[in-house]
Amino acid sequence: MRQDATAADIRGVVEAVEARGYRAHPIPGAQRTAIGITGNKGAEEAPVFETLPGVLEVIPVTHAYKLVSREVKPDDSVVRVGGVPVGGPELAIVAGPCAVESREQLLTVARAVKAAGAQLLRGGAYKPRTSPYSFQGLGEEGLKLLAEAREATGLPVVTEALDSESVELAERYADAIQIGARNMQNFSLLKRVGRARKPVVLKRGMSATLEEFLMSAEYILAEGNYQVILCERGVRTFSDFSRNTLDLAVVPAVKRMSHLPILVDPSHGTGRREKVAPLSRAAAAVGADGLMIEVHHDPNRALSDGPQSITPDMFEELMRELRQIAPVIGRRL
Ligand code: PEP
Ligand code: MN
């Protein structure tokens, strides 16, 4: 739409789109509102929309993914999680334990990461574990503890949902819903969070191409939830010195193709505590909008992902380093 398009102009286009049996997705941006159209057959109707009041131009989107593409929305999206912006000039740091284990554990870690400057708290109440005998998470009890930790620290909460039942609960207790790597192509789950009223952190599948990653995000936007944050967490390669290979090159690639913000998770991306800080610094340098980092006050006794969890002291040191890096790359922290 033109920069001076009115709310009535936008409504007029939405109505014209819907009258043809298509779906309209008005996506407000910094400069102008873009209206994505899905469900249409081809570009032959472009002239019909082009003549409507307030319309600047009609751009046929050439990629399979549409709403996530920069063709539909040229400027960066900023997604707010409980008021914390992800995708703007500020680096967003999400930190916390892999799993919520107990009140004492969660509050200890939450207070430590808050003191060090994290803006968001992470913690899993539903854990997708490789083994059915591993700790599966505290379920709703864990979500209640996360809500309590938010009360205590003021940090908005990000937590994973595994199915429609946990989405419903996460929607109620948390500020953002995480879809894990193992569920990146669980299309019914993607459609479900597409109807959620909370932002979604979508993690890259462990063998997903960039196009598959963006198509999964498209599922969520296509249902009307435009508050999607991507997260690179490493992919499987032949490399055997780390749990996964953190694909930092995907960050500038995403930035070129999509307006969505992207976080980097160097914890799952490396699987080793000593690699988390170096890869965090690299992620910030390569243009990530923020980091997701696993922190535990007693990692050797953690119920999940202890070997990749850093201590509060290590986290504090990392935050100091990131604060020095941020201004050099035009970011704030
Ligand atoms: C997690 O964040 O704890 C997690 C399970 O991540 P991923 O889905 O990336 O493995
Ligand atoms: Mn984990």
Side-chain angles (χ1 to χ4, degrees), residues 250-263:
V250 86
V251 174
V254 161
K255 290 281 163 205
R256 212 177 101 108
M257 294 154 97
S258 177
H259 54 87
L260 296 176
I262 179 164
L263 302 176

Side-chain angles (χ1 to χ4, degrees):
M1 301 295 287
R2 295 159 50 104
Q3 226 166 312
D4 60 1
T6 64
D9 292 340
I10 292 168
R11 222 167 27 243
V13 174
V14 168
E15 280 162 14
V17 170
E18 287 171 350
R20 296 187 161 245
Y22 310 144
R23 185 153 181 187
H25 305 262
I27 309 174
Q31 306 297 328
R32 59 182 86 248
T33 291
I35 302 177
I37 304 174
T38 54
N40 59 311
K41 301 282 177 312
E44 63 278 359
E45 289 158 303
V48 175
F49 299 116
E50 219 139 33
T51 51
L52 294 173
V55 173
L56 176 68
E57 56 182 336
V58 177
I59 308 168
V61 177
T62 49
H63 292 111
Y65 46 89
K66 302 188 184 298
L67 301 175
V68 305
S69 80
R70 279 215 191 263
E71 288 176 288
V72 163
K73 183 171 183 285
D75 57 335
D76 292 341
S77 284
V78 178
V79 176
R80 287 182 177 274
V81 178
V84 173
V86 181
E90 226 141 308
L91 276 180
I93 310 296
V94 190
C98 177
V100 178
E101 299 170 7
S102 68
R103 171 178 287 115
E104 194 217 343
Q105 172 248 15
L106 183 63
L107 287 177
T108 304
V109 178
R111 288 196 172 107
V113 299
K114 163 80 183 184
Q119 297 101 320
L120 296 165
L121 177 66
R122 63 148 289 147
Y126 298 89
K127 295 306 302 176
R129 303 306 298 278
T130 301
S131 164
Y133 309 117
S134 299
F135 177 60
Q136 302 285 309
L138 297 179
E140 187 171 3
E141 187 51 38
L143 295 177
K144 287 181 181 163
L145 292 174
L146 282 165
E148 197 179 319
R150 173 181 49 218
E151 281 297 301
T153 60
L155 296 177
V157 161
V158 182
T159 199
E160 177 164 359
L162 297 179
D163 48 28
S164 52
E165 188 189 338
S166 48
V167 168
E168 211 158 287
L169 288 165
E171 215 177 355
R172 189 158 354 128
Y173 290 102
D175 301 283
I177 305 165
Q178 178 174 318
I179 298 300
R182 289 155 193 82
N183 272 319
M184 190 205 80
Q185 287 189 311
N186 182 339
F187 300 118
S188 63
L189 189 60
L190 297 176
K191 287 182 185 172
R192 172 64 188 85
V193 293
R195 295 189 297 272
R197 287 168 312 282
K198 292 276 167 77
V200 176
V201 176
L202 176 67
K203 299 189 86 173
R204 182 182 183 183
M206 51 188 87
S207 62
T209 63
L210 172 55
E211 175 148 327
E212 288 164 345
F213 191 17
L214 293 175
M215 289 305 289
S216 288
E218 184 79 18
Y219 262 90
I220 303 171
L221 274 76
E223 292 293 326
N225 188 351
Y226 311 120
Q227 301 171 276
V228 174
I229 300 164
L230 303 170
C231 181
E232 160 62 28
R233 47 78 73 205
V235 291
R236 286 224 167 137
T237 69
F238 54 85
S239 187
D240 60 0
F241 59 87
S242 55
R243 181 179 177 182
N244 294 292
T245 297
L246 192 63
D247 182 14
L248 289 180
V250 86
V251 174
V254 161
K255 290 281 163 205
R256 212 177 101 108
M257 294 154 97
S258 177
H259 54 87
L260 296 176
I262 179 164
L263 302 176
V264 167
D265 168 355
S267 306
H268 295 85
T270 65
R272 288 284 169 229
R273 189 172 308 143
E274 75 279 3
K275 297 191 176 85
V276 170
L279 272 297
S280 297
R281 299 190 297 261
V286 85
D289 295 297
L291 298 163
M292 174 177 277
I293 298 175
E294 289 187 339
V295 180
H296 199 290
H297 64 299
D298 191 1
N300 293 332
R301 265 191 275 241
L303 296 182
S304 77
D305 286 347
Q308 68 194 31
S309 299
I310 61 173
T311 62
D313 282 350
M314 293 169 83
F315 181 68
E316 202 188 323
E317 170 64 22
L318 170 59
M319 288 297 285
R320 263 199 298 275
E321 294 170 348
L322 290 171
R323 262 184 223 109
Q324 288 182 278
I325 293 171
V328 180
I329 53 171
R331 295 276 190 162
R332 288 199 302 264
L333 180 60

